[in-house]
Amino acid sequence: MAVLSDQDIDARLAPTRWRRQEESIVRDFELANFERAMTLVNLVAEAAEAANHHPDILIHGYRNVRLTLSTHSEGGVTDADLDLAQRIDALA
């Protein structure tokens, strides 16, 4: 899977809440409480397993979740990252 161009990534991220951060895409979520944060994390885990593509997940401040997607084996953002981001958006 090839790394996408900056233009392709920016175009696909434009209508979303995801943002570029170096060689990754990132989205922050602020949930109502810790239980909701964990529910989101578990839903993301299921989607990631199904896609065989796994984000970095940070839970902080008890109700905040940061998801970071990058295809490490390719050294940047690929279709797999943007496809999983779209799936995560549908879950959220």
Side-chain angles (χ1 to χ4, degrees):
M1 190 167 294
V3 173
L4 299 172
S5 71
D6 290 340
Q7 295 83 1
D8 287 341
I9 297 166
D10 292 342
R12 289 182 60 185
L13 291 182
T16 74
R17 294 183 180 173
W18 292 85
R19 68 182 187 282
R20 297 278 309 271
Q21 185 172 354
E22 299 173 8
E23 300 304 319
S24 303
I25 59 173
V26 176
R27 180 164 177 198
D28 291 303
F29 297 84
E30 184 177 331
L31 291 303
N33 54 42
F34 183 74
E35 182 180 10
R36 296 278 174 116
M38 291 306 301
T39 297
L40 175 63
V41 167
N42 288 325
L43 290 170
V44 168
E46 289 175 15
E49 276 296 302
N52 194 30
H53 193 66
H54 305 94
D56 291 336
I57 301 172
L58 172 66
I59 303 168
H60 58 103
Y62 83 88
R63 65 181 188 150
N64 299 300
V65 176
R66 174 172 290 165
L67 301 174
T68 304
L69 288 165
S70 180
T71 304
H72 302 290
S73 61
E74 297 296 327
V77 177
T78 66
D79 281 323
D81 301 302
L82 293 169
D83 292 346
L84 185 55
Q86 184 177 22
R87 176 72 179 123
I88 291 167
D89 286 346
L91 294 172

